Amino acid sequence: MASSSSSGITFKLHPLVIVNISDHYTRLKAQTLHSGESSSCAPPSNGGTAGSAPPAPPRVFGCVIGVQRGRTVEIFNSFELLFDSKTHTLDRAFLEKKQELYKKVFPTFYILGWYSTGSDVEEADMLIHRSLMDINENPIYVLLNPAIIHSQKDLPISIYETELHVIDGNPQLIFVKSSYNIETVEAERISVDHVAHLKPSDGGSAATQLAAHLTGIHSAIKMLNSRVRVLHQYLVAMQRGEIPLDNSLLRQVLSLLRRLPAIESEKFQDEFLMEFNDTLLMTYLAMFTNCTGTMNDVVEKFNIAYDRHSRRGGRTAFI
Amino acid sequence: MAAAMETVESLVAHIQALTKPEDVAQLHSLLKQSQSDEALRSQAPHLAPLLADLDPAKHSLGYLYLLDTYLYSSISREQVAAFLPSIARFLNTCSAYHIRFASDKFISVCRCFKDQVMRQQTPIQGIIPLRSAVQKLQNSSEQLTTLHSDFLLLCLLAKCYKPSLCILENDIFEAENPKDLFLFYYYGGMIYIGLKRFSKALECLHNVFTSPMANLNAIAIEAYKKYILVSLIHSGQVPPFPKYTSATAQRNLKNYAQAYLDLTTAYATGKHSEIEACIQQHIEKFQSDNNLGLVKQVLSSLSKRNIQRLTQTYLTLSLQDISNSVQLNGSKESELHVLHMIQDGEIHATINQKDGMVIFHEDPEEYKTCQMVNQMDLSIQRLMSLSKKLTAIDEHISCDPAYLTKIGRERTRYEFDDFDSVPPKYL
């Protein structure tokens, strides 16, 4: 049912959408798991058909919104929708209400399509797709595969469009897969970075995280340094004649050297020096604190030892 | 008489012969021996031509001994005056290695030199020789010698501050004599005041009255008075005593500086009229302490402080408003003040002369230059060496018996089999 799209539309997906969908799914999964365990019938949450047995993960549904400019479709945001499992339709009234609210905040965003979770496109999805066609004549379908496959390196997200193909003499709409790019805004980059670096284990306070970060950089630079040193020694030995000349190696070294300097603009210099100075200032501050602590100790001891009328600091005899 | 003359001549011959570094010790013992003989001292007035024979650079030690005997014998002032250029030459060219064998003689020669120069009212003559003397006498740049304060005194009297900076900027870690330390920092503070580097002046004066002292001394009192005035000029308030100030200083200094403390309270109100009234009230005290110039500077610093406060509230302000809020007379005067402050780097602003507005800016330093990197690197190095010294001092004090006794006495009474942190032999 899915083949590659030939419509020539480029899709740009923002990480916010991915995070939203995954969050929706995870929440629902946690809730149904919990309600399954406690065996109380919790009311079904938005958008999901709860599986009859707890292990079957529920599908979540929602709308994606964004902007379409010419041949580029940029998907910015998404929201959840209620799904009526009996009639296999989305709750229309809710959708319109939500759309109105979002219009007020983001006047440029349109409903571009809808999303769901699952491993592949299903038959019932076409019904939902058709129902959205009156809002947007060519809606897109974003599918998130929540199964965690460790060997798979790509994002488990696929975007489908519909095309009219003639199959067995009948024109039919089928889903075709399209390629997409990820587009990030600065704020999104920071949050994704933050989430990605947050280790579940004890990476707690900012100080330890900074220390871990700097240690990583330190070991990387140390490795680089030792390797450059090895190369340098090798070249010096070659120059002195202790090792026979090897032209291919020399050519490789030359090409390596030609790659430096990587960036040489003034703006880079400025930013680089600013960051360098920031790190230096941090070191300076750390040293200062250290030194002040030592100084404080020295002064205390001196006062106790030599000042005739010193205060009785600290310990008094307990009874 | 002839015999005495002969011993002197043989001595001179010895001096000329023993010039190698290994022989210096031998020469030194010879000279010490001859010192105790009356012979040398009786011949003292006639030593002048002999000194001309010796070369100060090569025969420094011998020259020093003879010079010392000559200067402290009964010669007249005019003879000393005539000898001044040779002393200066000696101080400039002598060898540091030789000198250190007889440092007290060296110090006395320099002292005599300084007295003469002061008597002649030409202190500027003595600056360069004394500076080279200081540099030769000290074992390292961190050591304070008696000559430091003499040198600074000459610079102050001559009003010639630049040569002293290279000596003043060294951090001092060792000192032999507390009086030297007090004088050094007091004069140093005054030199920095003359150069208008008030933050460094504050550091120096601070060191004087926070030094450990068992009894109050006059230098500390004077330093404290100047400290109050300079901190009013520099930062608008006087900080309280740090906890390492000796108890003697903390209790007694304020009694001697009452007039200055009144000035502080008047300054805190922020009104010109109050401060002027206070100054008039105590004007004889200020004059007798030679601090009247500083006091006047305190007054003018008030307007600077008020303008600086304005930078924190407003982005742009008209000159007229500035003169109103700071109680100056008219926008011309406030323009002058702001201009001076911009030149001195105390505020960052631009004056728009067309409509008489002043626009205040942020500090334009963006920390993206290589010079800043170098500066930071230097500061970090300094701090690291300081930190090492402090840790060493810390360990040293922890082992000090005086400290251990005091700590041991105050410890809590544990039960018998708890371990004792201080061995009983210290109690």
Side-chain angles (χ1 to χ4, degrees):
Chain A
M1 217 200 200
S3 54
S4 27
S5 149
S6 53
S7 60
I9 298 186
T10 35
F11 290 103
K12 290 192 183 159
L13 189 61
H14 277 252
L16 178 60
V17 178
I18 308 175
V19 174
N20 273 346
I21 304 176
S22 126
D23 174 64
H24 187 189
Y25 172 75
T26 320
R27 245 186 300 130
L28 207 62
K29 186 165 157 195
Q31 281 168 348
T32 48
L33 223 56
H34 174 79
S35 68
E37 282 169 359
S38 64
S39 74
S40 61
C41 59
S45 12
N46 308 354
T49 49
S52 47
R59 291 191 77 189
V60 299
F61 295 88
C63 246
V64 293
I65 60 178
V67 178
Q68 176 157 13
R69 293 190 198 97
R71 312 283 302 166
T72 325
V73 174
E74 200 163 347
I75 310 173
F76 278 98
N77 206 343
S78 65
F79 57 86
E80 304 154 11
L81 285 179
L82 287 171
F83 182 74
D84 193 352
S85 51
K86 313 252 176 9
T87 58
H88 283 280
T89 50
L90 298 170
D91 186 341
R92 235 5 230 260
F94 185 72
L95 184 134
E96 315 244 294
K97 193 154 166 234
K98 271 293 228 204
Q99 184 185 11
E100 234 180 85
L101 290 174
Y102 267 91
K103 256 304 186 193
K104 283 197 197 143
V105 182
F106 303 108
T108 48
F109 290 178
Y110 288 101
I111 292 194
L112 292 174
W114 61 295
Y115 69 78
S116 179
T117 53
S119 48
D120 205 354
V121 181
E122 293 182 18
E123 302 289 334
D125 295 344
M126 190 50 88
L127 287 168
I128 307 172
H129 206 86
R130 273 185 215 270
S131 65
L132 276 179
M133 271 181 173
D134 54 346
I135 306 181
N136 185 336
E137 65 277 353
N138 190 9
I140 48 180
Y141 174 36
V142 180
L143 182 67
L144 171 83
N145 186 356
I148 302 175
I149 307 170
H150 291 283
S151 57
Q152 183 186 22
K153 295 287 187 181
D154 308 323
L155 276 177
I157 297 219
S158 16
I159 296 191
Y160 294 96
E161 291 184 284
T162 44
E163 275 184 1
L164 206 56
H165 277 217
V166 177
I167 301 176
D168 307 327
N170 294 338
Q172 261 190 350
L173 280 176
I174 56 166
F175 280 119
V176 292
K177 201 166 183 177
S178 323
S179 62
Y180 59 92
N181 297 323
I182 301 279
E183 179 97 352
T184 37
V185 175
E186 188 66 23
E188 288 171 325
R189 191 177 64 78
I190 295 174
S191 44
V192 169
D193 231 1
H194 187 72
V195 168
H197 281 250
L198 211 59
K199 301 180 181 60
S201 65
D202 205 5
S205 73
T208 47
Q209 272 188 336
L210 178 68
H213 177 243
L214 286 178
T215 327
I217 292 190
H218 175 246
S219 39
I221 294 183
K222 207 162 85 160
M223 206 161 61
L224 177 68
N225 192 22
S226 64
R227 288 184 188 176
V228 167
R229 222 188 281 266
V230 163
L231 270 180
H232 178 76
Q233 276 185 348
Y234 181 73
L235 288 174
V236 163
M238 218 189 253
Q239 190 182 44
R240 268 189 254 141
E242 298 161 13
I243 304 179
L245 280 176
D246 186 351
N247 279 317
S248 63
L249 258 162
L250 284 178
R251 275 195 289 272
Q252 283 186 5
V253 171
L254 184 64
S255 67
L256 188 68
L257 287 177
R258 285 253 169 81
R259 285 166 67 184
L260 297 174
I263 313 182
E264 179 107 1
S265 70
E266 196 188 302
K267 230 175 134 205
F268 171 70
Q269 273 290 80
D270 283 348
E271 301 223 0
F272 170 65
L273 280 174
M274 251 203 285
E275 212 168 303
F276 193 78
N277 279 326
D278 283 343
T279 322
L280 275 184
L281 274 169
M282 243 177 5
T283 326
Y284 194 42
L285 183 66
M287 291 237 57
F288 242 119
T289 321
N290 212 355
C291 219
T292 322
T294 327
M295 179 94 87
N296 195 33
D297 289 337
V298 170
V299 168
E300 287 272 352
K301 293 200 169 106
F302 187 80
N303 273 342
I304 293 178
Y306 291 107
D307 213 3
R308 242 184 286 155
H309 308 281
S310 66
R311 310 169 292 258
R312 292 196 136 249
R315 330 200 201 152
T316 48
F318 271 86
I319 302 166
Chain B
M1 186 64 169
M5 205 54 201
E6 261 178 41
T7 42
V8 173
E9 281 180 1
S10 61
L11 190 61
V12 172
H14 274 287
I15 295 175
Q16 280 172 326
L18 300 166
T19 49
K20 292 204 289 281
E22 309 88 58
D23 301 330
V24 176
Q26 188 191 1
L27 181 60
H28 190 216
S29 47
L30 248 177
L31 286 168
K32 268 209 284 222
Q33 209 182 17
S34 69
Q35 191 76 62
S36 43
D37 291 338
E38 274 301 317
L40 201 55
R41 240 169 288 157
S42 58
Q43 286 301 310
H46 308 283
L47 284 175
L50 289 174
L51 278 172
D53 286 337
L54 292 175
D55 175 15
K58 279 197 282 190
H59 312 123
S60 306
L61 194 54
Y63 199 99
L64 176 62
Y65 265 87
L66 294 178
L67 191 58
D68 182 54
T69 334
Y70 179 63
L71 286 174
Y72 280 97
S73 64
S74 47
I75 53 177
S76 59
R77 294 262 170 89
E78 296 77 36
Q79 280 180 306
V80 179
F83 223 66
L84 223 47
S86 353
I87 307 181
R89 193 170 61 112
F90 169 64
L91 289 178
N92 278 331
T93 55
C94 63
S95 128
Y97 176 67
H98 282 218
I99 299 299
R100 296 215 188 111
F101 278 95
S103 39
D104 44 344
K105 292 228 173 286
F106 189 65
I107 292 176
S108 60
V109 166
C110 293
R111 189 96 353 117
C112 177
F113 178 65
K114 174 201 109 184
D115 292 335
Q116 181 56 34
V117 159
M118 277 177 40
R119 240 177 280 145
Q120 284 181 272
Q121 308 270 335
T122 55
I124 196 164
Q125 267 189 334
I127 292 183
I128 299 287
L130 258 193
R131 185 170 72 170
S132 36
V134 164
Q135 282 168 335
K136 294 203 171 98
L137 188 57
Q138 45 177 200
N139 292 329
S140 70
S141 65
E142 299 168 357
Q143 193 198 27
L144 185 69
T145 64
T146 333
L147 294 178
H148 278 82
S149 37
D150 290 340
F151 169 62
L152 288 183
L153 181 60
L154 281 185
C155 288
L156 266 177
L157 288 174
K159 291 213 195 324
C160 217
Y161 303 135
K162 285 273 164 59
S164 62
L165 280 179
C166 64
I167 301 284
L168 268 178
E169 314 228 291
N170 296 326
D171 300 321
I172 305 284
F173 284 112
E174 298 168 40
E176 293 153 357
N177 195 347
K179 182 165 165 233
D180 292 337
L181 193 74
F182 286 132
L183 278 177
F184 175 72
Y185 278 119
Y186 181 59
Y187 292 145
M190 283 171 70
I191 289 184
Y192 277 126
I193 294 178
L195 289 170
K196 294 231 188 304
R197 287 169 60 172
F198 290 121
S199 51
K200 297 278 321 185
L202 277 178
E203 261 181 54
C204 288
L205 293 171
H206 179 93
N207 280 335
V208 182
F209 70 86
T210 53
S211 303
M213 54 178 114
N215 302 309
L216 206 52
N217 62 55
I219 309 178
I221 298 176
E222 293 303 313
Y224 185 59
K225 292 180 187 163
K226 289 205 165 59
Y227 178 77
I228 294 181
L229 291 175
V230 175
S231 56
L232 280 181
I233 297 177
H234 182 72
S235 56
Q237 48 190 348
V238 183
F241 285 119
K243 73 174 176 182
Y244 46 83
T245 327
S246 61
T248 340
Q250 279 191 26
R251 263 181 281 151
N252 300 327
L253 270 181
K254 296 219 165 150
N255 303 337
Y256 289 90
Q258 199 48 51
Y260 298 83
L261 294 169
D262 291 340
L263 189 61
T264 318
T265 34
Y267 193 90
T269 62
K271 294 205 192 56
H272 268 254
S273 41
E274 290 253 356
I275 302 179
E276 280 178 9
C278 181
I279 294 179
Q280 280 308 114
Q281 206 185 342
H282 296 287
I283 196 161
E284 302 93 30
K285 191 98 203 331
F286 291 149
Q287 249 168 351
S288 64
D289 290 335
N290 284 329
N291 282 335
L292 200 54
L294 267 181
V295 170
K296 292 214 170 76
Q297 285 190 37
V298 170
L299 192 57
S300 59
S301 78
L302 183 64
S303 9
K304 278 197 204 162
R305 181 104 330 102
N306 288 336
I307 296 182
Q308 265 178 339
R309 217 176 307 155
L310 286 176
T311 62
Q312 289 176 340
T313 330
Y314 296 97
L315 266 182
T316 52
L317 201 54
S318 72
L319 287 168
Q320 192 59 41
D321 284 332
I322 294 182
S323 57
N324 285 343
S325 44
V326 179
Q327 296 153 21
L328 291 170
N329 305 324
S331 54
K332 273 282 165 229
E333 203 180 312
S334 58
E335 186 178 343
L336 211 63
H337 269 265
V338 173
L339 195 63
H340 279 303
M341 286 176 78
I342 298 177
Q343 274 176 339
D344 293 334
E346 289 167 14
I347 58 175
H348 304 279
T350 17
I351 307 182
N352 186 340
Q353 287 197 316
K354 259 196 296 180
D355 48 2
M357 299 291 289
V358 178
I359 309 168
F360 298 119
H361 302 301
E362 295 276 323
D363 184 2
E365 174 61 61
E366 273 180 38
Y367 296 97
K368 50 182 180 178
T369 53
C370 287
Q371 292 93 339
M372 186 51 80
V373 173
N374 283 335
Q375 211 176 334
M376 302 240 31
D377 200 35
L378 280 173
S379 314
I380 292 180
Q381 301 283 3
R382 254 185 81 198
L383 206 54
M384 287 210 290
S385 56
L386 179 65
S387 177
K388 279 199 195 100
K389 288 211 164 68
L390 272 180
T391 338
I393 296 181
D394 193 31
E395 286 168 15
H396 199 79
I397 291 193
S398 306
C399 308
D400 191 339
Y403 171 70
L404 285 173
T405 3
K406 289 256 174 84
I407 278 293
R409 245 183 260 145
E410 292 182 8
R411 78 197 199 288
T412 60
R413 297 277 170 239
Y414 290 119
E415 289 148 14
F416 280 118
D417 33 324
D418 260 326
F419 99 102
D420 219 347
S421 50
V422 178
K425 74 171 181 185
Y426 285 109
L427 295 176

